[in-house]
Amino acid sequence: DCSGLQLDFEGVLLEDGKYYTQFVREAAQAFHARGLQFSVALGSGLFAGSLPPENYAVWFGGFPVYPVPYEPAELARHADFISLMTYDHYAKGTAPGPVAGYAWVEQSIRFLLRSVPPEKLSMGLGFYARRWCNQEVSDGNYRETKLLAGRTHAPLRWHPWHRTPWFEFQEAGCRNIVWFENRRSLREKLKLVGRYGLLGFSAWRLGQEDPAFWRELPERRIPNRGR
């Protein structure tokens, strides 16, 4: 059975924003007419803090803001809920850093809550890991990451500001730096759901996570508010 669909269009041009909004409105009407849910995934409105600050005039919570082609409030008005993709904080083209640093995640949520009600906002959790070797960047899952740390005898570290684990080692002629998520780091971010009264959480993607993470859910059950 299918309960609905989530729309994830990324890289929408500024001049196409009105057409994207129209598409969301019409798609939501079509799904709701058939008793199905319709939600929209949106990226964070905040860039990684490692980008050159002189290029940005607007800041929020210590992070530069980039323009988006749509009004989140209008999308939330038609969709059942919004999944805020609070991951890819650091990615290909940036310095090594967490997939989802805690402060960046929290400020991304606070930024979107200016226009989207909390009961319509789902926090997106990234379950994957990211590895840097000079300019080469690759992704992996939790199991692969733990095996890599064991094979290279790399000690696991905890970053107190990002509240995320990481490790490093020398291989293939470069300094390899790996940032990943585990039960502890995901638990820290999961607390934001209750703190801001959010609908719940979304994840990208199942099967990549630390299996121990699921033990956190009975401790923080989120009521099903429906549509």
Side-chain angles (χ1 to χ4, degrees), residues 142-154:
Y142 177 79
R143 179 178 178 276
E144 294 168 339
T145 301
K146 289 302 294 289
L147 288 174
L148 178 62
R151 179 178 64 78
T152 59
H153 305 288

Side-chain angles (χ1 to χ4, degrees), residues 33 37-38 44 51 86 104 116 144 185 187:
Q37 281 206 334
F38 180 79
S44 170
L51 294 175
T86 51
W104 180 81
V116 175
E144 294 168 339
S185 64
R187 178 176 64 233

Side-chain angles (χ1 to χ4, degrees), residues 118-132:
E119 64 272 14
K120 276 205 165 188
L121 184 58
S122 175
M123 178 185 64
L125 290 176
F127 283 161
Y128 54 96
R130 184 156 283 153
R131 173 182 177 181
W132 278 261

Side-chain angles (χ1 to χ4, degrees), residues 79-189:
D80 291 287
F81 65 91
I82 299 293
S83 284
L84 176 60
M85 298 183 286
T86 51
Y87 37 84
D88 280 349
H89 179 186
Y90 289 80
K92 186 174 182 180
T94 74
V99 169
Y102 183 86
W104 180 81
V105 170
E106 182 174 21
Q107 296 306 321
S108 295
I109 292 170
R110 292 183 60 243
F111 183 72
L112 196 59
L113 283 176
R114 301 190 311 170
S115 53
V116 175
E119 64 272 14
K120 276 205 165 188
L121 184 58
S122 175
M123 178 185 64
L125 290 176
F127 283 161
Y128 54 96
R130 184 156 283 153
R131 173 182 177 181
W132 278 261
C133 176
N134 292 330
Q135 301 305 312
E136 183 179 345
V137 182
S138 58
D139 294 345
N141 59 42
Y142 177 79
R143 179 178 178 276
E144 294 168 339
T145 301
K146 289 302 294 289
L147 288 174
L148 178 62
R151 179 178 64 78
T152 59
H153 305 288
L156 302 184
R157 304 179 183 182
W158 176 259
H159 196 289
W161 171 252
H162 292 307
R163 304 189 194 183
T164 308
W166 68 286
F167 60 92
E168 62 180 338
F169 59 93
Q170 289 292 137
E171 188 175 86
C174 71
R175 177 189 179 208
N176 288 257
I177 303 175
V178 182
W179 289 83
F180 66 105
E181 300 286 350
N182 61 6
R183 178 180 180 177
R184 181 183 177 186
S185 64
L186 292 170
R187 178 176 64 233
E188 289 292 315
K189 286 185 268 286

Side-chain angles (χ1 to χ4, degrees), residues 38-97:
F38 180 79
S39 59
V40 176
L42 295 181
S44 170
L46 308 181
F47 269 131
S50 64
L51 294 175
E54 64 271 13
N55 294 337
Y56 304 95
V58 181
W59 288 69
F60 181 88
F63 297 94
V65 177
Y66 69 92
V68 294
Y70 42 73
E71 291 292 337
E74 181 67 12
L75 301 182
R77 191 167 72 87
H78 299 291
D80 291 287
F81 65 91
I82 299 293
S83 284
L84 176 60
M85 298 183 286
T86 51
Y87 37 84
D88 280 349
H89 179 186
Y90 289 80
K92 186 174 182 180
T94 74

